[in-house]
Amino acid sequence: MNPTVNVENKLFFNRYVVDAGRPHITVKPHATPSAQLRALVYMCPAGCYGETEAATIEIIPDGCLECGTCRIVTAGTGEVEWHYPRGGFGILYKFG
Ligand code: SF4
């Protein structure tokens, strides 16, 4: 029997301190997202990216794992503004 890993169950152990009104990642205003930006809806391991009804991409960084995937994937497009959260905010890894 192969062991299975449920990512959602693992993420449940993390805690996140929201810096209200000061998101550490933002998506620049756009009419049509690049393929890279659109791909983040599927690539972000925390599910922070979503597609709006207007077919643009939005981010709600609450729960961000600070993995940097979105920063690297959109490095050539400049559509994502990425910073680490301020001290005392962001992800708290509880169990590894
Ligand atoms: S840094 Fe990682 S977890 Fe955070 S929003 Fe980007 S892809 Fe998602």
Side-chain angles (χ1 to χ4, degrees):
M1 182 171 158
N2 292 332
T4 58
V5 175
N6 183 315
V7 174
E8 289 183 358
N9 286 346
K10 293 288 187 185
L11 291 175
F12 176 77
F13 289 112
N14 297 330
R15 294 295 175 262
Y16 192 88
V17 181
V18 175
D19 193 358
R22 297 185 67 163
H24 68 287
I25 302 173
T26 56
V27 173
K28 293 180 180 173
H30 58 279
T32 306
S34 69
Q36 293 94 322
L37 182 59
R38 187 178 300 277
L40 294 176
V41 174
Y42 306 99
M43 296 177 73
C44 172
C48 293
Y49 286 86
E51 188 168 5
T52 68
E53 289 183 3
T56 59
I57 302 300
E58 65 180 5
I59 179 172
I60 299 174
D62 300 358
C64 168
L65 304 172
E66 300 173 21
C67 69
T69 299
C70 57
R71 181 180 186 179
I72 293 170
V73 168
T74 60
T77 71
E79 294 166 295
V80 170
E81 187 79 29
W82 200 102
H83 303 278
Y84 281 110
R86 291 191 301 157
F89 297 95
I91 192 76
L92 301 172
Y93 289 103
K94 291 286 194 180
F95 300 104

